[in-house]
Amino acid sequence: AQLRRICSLKDCTTIDITKDGKWLAFGARYKAYVWPINKSTEDVPETQLRHHVFVEQITVLKFHPHKPILAVGDKSGKITCIANYNSEESKDHIRSIHHWHHLPVGCITFMADGSYMLSGGEESVMVIWQLDTGHKQFLPRMGGSIASITISPNHRFYCLGLDDNSIRLVNSVTQSIEQVI
């Protein structure tokens, strides 16, 4: 029950927390900030706060479920994965770029095992990225801009939230829309 000011921002557009609750990330304009939540309270939060600068404005960010990787989507349609975001040395931060979207990336999520990353945006196409090989699959014509993606625990369904407030339940095996809400 202690309140700490991490930093003050005008335009925080996206936020995420690691599955284990140890790291917090948030994006504002051209910077992604990463903060270790459970550090000693004697440490000054400002010195713990790490930031990553981007050329394009950040639209969304998401932590990998098991590895120290932070995926950051931007307005140009690129997804930059920052490996070793938790290192204090910036030379240890390894960036890889995944680019298919030509409009801003609206959402990113990972499968529970971390082997696939899913992304969506204004193109009405969900992209499934196989992280180890770089192979990608496309689920087109989803009916509108994709604002969120959730995966069922058994990986059988993808639930897509669209900007028009509709929901598409997609069968991951047949890759067809089974239900529209």
Side-chain angles (χ1 to χ4, degrees):
Q2 181 180 4
L3 188 62
R4 289 188 273 181
R5 170 170 269 181
I6 301 169
C7 79
S8 180
L9 300 170
K10 288 182 181 180
D11 297 331
C12 183
T13 55
T14 180
I15 190 167
D16 194 28
I17 192 166
T18 55
K19 193 174 181 180
D20 60 9
K22 292 183 179 178
W23 293 89
L24 174 73
F26 46 97
R29 295 188 183 180
Y30 300 94
K31 289 184 182 178
Y33 298 88
V34 182
W35 183 64
I37 296 171
N38 294 323
K39 284 278 188 174
S40 168
T41 57
E42 297 161 7
D43 294 334
V44 179
E46 290 80 13
T47 60
Q48 300 171 19
L49 190 64
R50 300 170 189 142
H51 69 276
H52 303 274
V53 179
F54 292 85
V55 175
E56 298 289 335
Q57 277 191 310
I58 295 170
T59 56
V60 64
L61 51 76
K62 189 74 174 170
F63 282 109
H64 188 280
H66 308 294
K67 297 179 183 176
I69 297 172
L70 177 65
V72 181
D74 66 29
K75 284 205 175 206
S76 72
K78 286 187 291 220
I79 300 170
T80 304
C81 290
I82 304 170
N84 304 319
Y85 64 81
N86 53 359
S87 173
E88 292 183 19
E89 296 293 325
S90 61
K91 64 180 172 68
D92 294 338
H93 303 160
I94 301 166
R95 291 186 179 203
S96 60
I97 296 176
H98 303 275
H99 195 186
W100 178 86
H101 299 280
H102 65 278
L103 296 170
V105 180
C107 57
I108 300 171
T109 195
F110 289 93
M111 289 216 175
D113 64 1
S115 59
Y116 290 90
M117 175 176 68
L118 285 67
S119 64
E122 294 180 32
E123 302 93 353
S124 301
V125 176
M126 184 174 72
V127 184
I128 304 169
W129 309 83
Q130 187 176 23
L131 296 175
D132 290 340
T133 65
H135 179 74
K136 49 189 167 290
Q137 281 183 280
F138 306 97
L139 292 177
R141 297 181 288 283
M142 290 293 116
S145 296
I146 302 171
S148 64
I149 302 171
T150 303
I151 304 167
S152 66
N154 62 3
H155 293 191
R156 185 168 174 215
F157 295 103
Y158 307 129
C159 186
L160 309 180
L162 305 186
D163 277 347
D164 67 356
N165 214 22
S166 66
I167 298 169
R168 304 286 193 268
L169 189 64
V170 179
N171 185 311
S172 64
V173 177
T174 64
Q175 297 188 349
S176 61
I177 297 173
E178 291 206 357
Q179 190 81 329
V180 176
I181 302 167

